[in-house]
């Protein structure tokens, strides 16, 4: 097992970015709620702990705290923002509300040498950092010294070198703190002594062994969507257990244009993986008839997938496991770490387990990976770049890109508009610059003039975003000429649409999933 870091989460919007930066430096880490630290420590046996930021106040009576024993384990600890404050308060320092709060860009002055700054910042230098705090540490616990200050934080960076406890008031994990990723690397490599040997090759070898141990002589059904996640999961599982894997590709009637043909071709012709192609469009669309609430749609679709998998398992004479491409963001966003609403975010994933009636266990080999790591694993497994680099396409398919009622006529309109949009993106050589792009058919009809006649048709919205981790995103800055060309094609070629608009919203840290 590679070196591991445990990140205790106190509810920060950017805790996931800490994990991303740590893993980018070749060190395995996991995020666990602060109030479930004991179990995480037992499972992970970490070499160090990072205390994340969070929205609470240490000065409140019910403010969250790290378990007292984490400070007695004899392993290094790094506190970030709220993590610094709770560390200081728990170890005997003083934290109070500040008259001068700091939110956004601030200037850190390095006042003393510190291993966190080695090769990065020199004493006397001033560096841009990203702050987000209303409380401030005013007195340090015994054993600590100040190594950095900001205008409103007299202890913006502190160190207890004997115990290897360090803390910063700013957020090194965000891009707004230049050099922050290197600071985290100094902690993991110089303070903790991690080797940085966590690679996709090592993950592949370890996960194959885990799959074989879990499955034994059993049989696995894999819900194959053709997307990156389920495809990588299927190839990895097949490498582990061969023909004990049975892939089921379910055509829900809500796939993109040409989707079914492509999936069947790749997995039957190129990988020789056993594949059942189940056309269940009538079943899915029948259950969705008259349903407009998006959360209800998700639940219906998820439940119908389960029904189909049960039927296919019965045809095979039974199956012991169901495999799916659950990712780490799915897990993180499906667990309410601090009592918030996040437990409901990933409602279309079976992250919490399957219905008891299925009598199956889940096989989720990608559960520890972020999206870009899954792509790296796909390349490690030899999957073609066309598949590995494919834009994410969620299980509910076009259903969640069609607010309002789902009908075959509206699906046909959306499917064609979406195909034109993606085709133009490819023609412009922009596909690989964009994380995800898709069309949305709005439940709105407008009056327009086309030629010499009035029309009363739907509005189509286009969305495209850039991202590295799938958890934050910015709208892609298309040139006006491109958008004009796409809009003209859609209006001319797709009967039922008379207006096209471009969605420029972004997904900042802490919002719910981007689809």
């Amino acid at each position: 097992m590679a070196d591991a870091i445990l990140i205790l989460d106190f509810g920060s919007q950017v805790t996931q970015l800490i994990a991303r930066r740590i893993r980018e430096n070749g060190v395995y880490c996991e995020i666990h709620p602060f109030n479930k630290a004991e179990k995480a420590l037992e499972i992970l046996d970490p070499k160090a702990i990072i205390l994340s930021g969070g929205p609470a106040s240490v000065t409140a009576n019910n403010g969250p705290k790290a378990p007292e024993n984490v400070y007695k384990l004899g392993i290094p600890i790094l506190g970030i923002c709220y993590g610094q404050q709770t560390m200081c308060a728990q170890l005997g320092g003083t934290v109070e509300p500040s008259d001068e709060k700091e939110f956004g860009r601030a200037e850190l002055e390095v006042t003393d040498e510190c291993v966190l700054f080695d090769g990065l910042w020199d004493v006397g230098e001033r560096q841009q950092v990203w702050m987000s705090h209303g409380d401030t540490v005013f007195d340090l616990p015994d054993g600590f010294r100040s190594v950095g200050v900001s205008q409103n934080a007299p202890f913006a960076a502190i160190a207890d070198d004997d115990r290897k406890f360090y803390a910063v008031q700013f957020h090194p994990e965000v891009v707004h703190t230049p050099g922050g990723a290197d600071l985290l690397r100094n902690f993991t490599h110089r303070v903790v002594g991690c080797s940085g040997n966590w690679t996709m090759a090592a993950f592949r070898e370890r996960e194959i062994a885990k799959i074989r141990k879990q499955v034994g002589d059993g049989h696995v059904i894999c819900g194959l969507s053709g997307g990156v996640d389920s495809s990588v999961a299927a190839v990895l599982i097949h490498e582990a257990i061969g023909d004990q894997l049975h892939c089921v590709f379910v055509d829900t009637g809500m796939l993109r244009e040409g989707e079914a043909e492509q999936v069947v071709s790749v997995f039957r012709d190129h990988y020789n993986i056993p594949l059942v192609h189940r056309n269940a469009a009538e079943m899915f669309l029948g259950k969705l008839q008259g349903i407009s609430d998006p959360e209800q749609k998700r639940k219906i679709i998820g439940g119908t997938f389960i029904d189909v998998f049960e039927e296919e398992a019965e045809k095979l004479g039974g199956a012991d496991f169901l495999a799916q491409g659950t990712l780490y963001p799915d897990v993180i966003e499906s667990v309410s770490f601090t009592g918030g609403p996040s437990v409901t975010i990933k409602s279309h994933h079976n992250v919490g387990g399957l219905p008891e009636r299925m009598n199956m266990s889940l096989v989720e080999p990608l559960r520890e990976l972020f999206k870009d790591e899954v792509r790296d694993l796909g390349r490690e497994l030899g999957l073609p770049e066309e598949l590995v680099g494919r834009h994410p396409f969620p299980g509910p398919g076009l259903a969640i890109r069609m607010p309002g009622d789902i009908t075959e006529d509206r699906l046909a309109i959306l499917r064609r508009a979406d195909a034109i949009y993606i085709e133009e993106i490819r023609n412009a050589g922009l596909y690989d610059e964009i994380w995800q792009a898709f069309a949305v058919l709005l439940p709105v009809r407008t009056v327009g003039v086309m030629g010499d006649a009035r029309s009363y048709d739907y509005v189509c919205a286009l969305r495209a975003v850039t991202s590295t981790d799938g958890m934050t995103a910015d709208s892609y800055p298309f040139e006006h000429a491109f958008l004009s060309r796409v809009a003209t094609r859609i209006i001319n070629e797709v009967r039922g649409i008379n207006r096209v608009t471009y969605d420029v919203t972004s997904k900042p840290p802490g919002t719910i999933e981007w689809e």
Side-chain angles (χ1 to χ4, degrees):
M1 175 71 178
D3 299 331
I5 303 289
L6 170 61
I7 301 170
L8 292 183
D9 183 40
F10 291 94
S12 170
Q13 296 179 354
V14 291
T15 299
Q16 295 88 349
L17 295 182
I18 302 174
R20 290 298 304 117
R21 302 296 170 256
I22 299 297
R23 291 190 181 189
E24 286 166 4
N25 289 324
V27 179
Y28 181 70
C29 63
E30 289 186 10
I31 300 170
H32 290 268
F34 73 93
N35 54 3
K36 297 183 180 179
E38 298 293 344
K39 183 177 180 181
L41 286 166
E42 181 181 341
I43 295 172
L44 203 57
D45 189 23
K47 292 191 69 173
I49 293 172
I50 295 178
L51 309 177
S52 85
S57 172
V58 170
T59 62
N61 291 332
N62 59 348
K65 299 177 182 179
E68 295 291 343
N69 73 307
V70 304
Y71 303 110
K72 303 174 184 177
L73 296 173
I75 61 176
I77 299 176
L78 173 65
I80 295 175
C81 194
Y82 183 90
Q84 183 205 47
Q85 294 171 5
T86 192
M87 176 191 287
C88 288
Q90 290 181 258
L91 295 178
T94 302
V95 180
E96 297 178 1
S98 176
D99 294 332
E100 299 291 337
K101 298 173 172 53
E102 279 184 316
F103 293 95
R105 288 179 176 84
E107 198 172 65
L108 173 78
E109 180 184 352
V110 178
T111 57
D112 202 353
E113 292 184 352
C114 178
V115 66
L116 294 182
F117 305 150
D118 281 356
L120 182 61
W121 301 330
D122 295 326
V123 175
E125 279 192 35
R126 293 178 179 271
Q127 296 291 334
Q128 176 186 302
V129 295
W130 188 263
M131 291 281 193
S132 180
H133 68 101
D135 295 340
T136 301
V137 176
F138 284 97
D139 294 303
L140 292 180
D142 291 342
F144 281 87
R145 62 190 176 92
S146 175
V147 296
V149 302
S150 69
Q151 182 176 350
N152 297 315
F155 303 113
I158 60 175
D160 180 337
D161 301 293
D162 291 339
R163 288 185 287 182
K164 295 186 178 180
F165 289 178
Y166 299 88
V168 294
Q169 183 60 71
F170 56 90
H171 287 275
E173 67 272 27
V174 301
V175 295
H176 307 83
T177 299
D182 292 325
L183 185 151
L184 291 172
R185 181 182 175 86
N186 278 344
F187 177 71
T188 58
H189 287 63
R190 298 194 181 202
V191 175
V192 184
C194 294
S195 60
N197 63 351
W198 189 70
T199 64
M200 278 302 112
F203 177 87
R204 172 186 182 180
E205 183 177 342
R206 189 193 77 178
E207 202 60 34
I208 285 174
K210 282 177 61 178
I211 293 167
R212 288 173 178 164
K213 181 178 180 181
Q214 179 185 6
V215 173
D217 296 329
H219 286 262
V220 180
I221 281 186
C222 178
L224 185 64
S225 69
V228 178
D229 307 336
S230 64
S231 297
V232 171
V235 173
L236 181 65
I237 295 169
H238 188 255
E239 186 169 312
I241 62 172
D243 289 348
Q244 291 170 250
L245 171 70
H246 308 274
C247 289
V248 178
F249 170 59
V250 181
D251 187 341
T252 64
M254 295 171 287
L255 300 175
R256 281 177 156 174
E257 190 171 279
E259 196 97 34
E261 295 80 4
Q262 182 187 36
V263 172
V264 172
S265 173
V266 167
F267 282 88
R268 279 187 180 161
D269 300 342
H270 295 279
Y271 286 98
N272 196 30
I273 295 178
L275 176 67
V276 173
H277 179 193
R278 171 69 182 274
N279 188 339
E282 186 175 343
M283 177 189 296
F284 277 87
L285 296 181
K287 291 187 177 183
L288 289 167
Q289 187 174 4
I291 304 298
S292 59
D293 178 74
E295 188 63 22
Q296 195 175 354
K297 287 179 186 177
R298 291 174 181 275
K299 291 178 178 178
I300 290 173
I301 291 169
T304 307
F305 268 118
I306 294 297
D307 293 340
V308 173
F309 292 144
E310 279 189 307
E311 291 177 6
E312 295 303 324
E314 188 175 343
K315 292 177 185 177
L316 292 168
D320 308 285
F321 301 90
L322 176 67
Q324 59 184 26
T326 305
L327 303 191
Y328 200 39
D330 301 332
V331 177
I332 293 170
E333 294 187 5
S334 296
V335 177
S336 183
F337 284 6
T338 56
S342 61
V343 71
T344 64
I345 291 175
K346 293 286 185 180
S347 58
H348 62 283
H349 288 270
N350 300 303
V351 177
L354 295 170
E356 290 185 10
R357 62 183 171 84
M358 286 198 74
N359 197 28
M360 291 186 194
S361 298
L362 281 172
V363 176
E364 299 172 303
L366 312 182
R367 191 180 175 90
E368 300 170 355
L369 301 183
F370 288 91
K371 189 76 172 190
D372 52 321
E373 294 170 334
V374 173
R375 297 189 196 280
D376 289 341
L377 177 60
R379 296 182 181 99
E380 172 70 25
L381 290 166
L383 271 71
E385 191 62 33
E386 178 184 0
L387 193 154
V388 172
R390 191 168 177 232
H391 289 179
F393 188 63
L398 298 179
I400 57 171
R401 295 172 183 175
M402 183 179 291
D405 292 343
I406 297 174
T407 66
E408 291 191 30
D409 289 343
R410 294 186 74 218
L411 283 168
I413 293 171
L414 176 56
R415 190 175 287 116
R416 188 67 200 118
D418 183 79
I420 291 171
Y421 183 33
I422 299 301
E423 180 183 329
E424 287 295 331
I425 287 174
R426 290 190 182 279
N427 291 344
L430 301 176
Y431 190 84
D432 293 336
E433 293 183 27
I434 296 170
W435 167 268
Q436 187 181 47
F438 54 86
V440 177
L441 190 66
L442 301 179
V444 176
R445 302 182 80 175
T446 63
V447 175
V449 176
M450 300 179 70
D452 296 323
R454 286 184 176 275
S455 66
Y456 182 61
D457 288 318
Y458 289 107
V459 176
C460 175
L462 306 178
R463 177 178 285 175
V465 296
T466 59
S467 180
T468 57
D469 52 22
M471 305 193 77
T472 60
D474 288 313
S475 58
Y476 186 81
F478 284 122
E479 294 182 358
H480 178 75
F482 173 86
L483 292 174
S484 178
R485 183 166 64 251
V486 173
T488 299
R489 276 199 64 188
I490 290 175
I491 290 172
N492 285 340
E493 298 178 30
V494 184
R495 180 171 295 182
I497 294 176
N498 69 1
R499 185 163 300 180
V500 177
T501 182
Y502 181 57
D503 182 354
V504 296
T505 57
S506 296
K507 179 191 174 187
T511 57
I512 62 173
E513 69 184 316
W514 188 279
E515 292 182 338

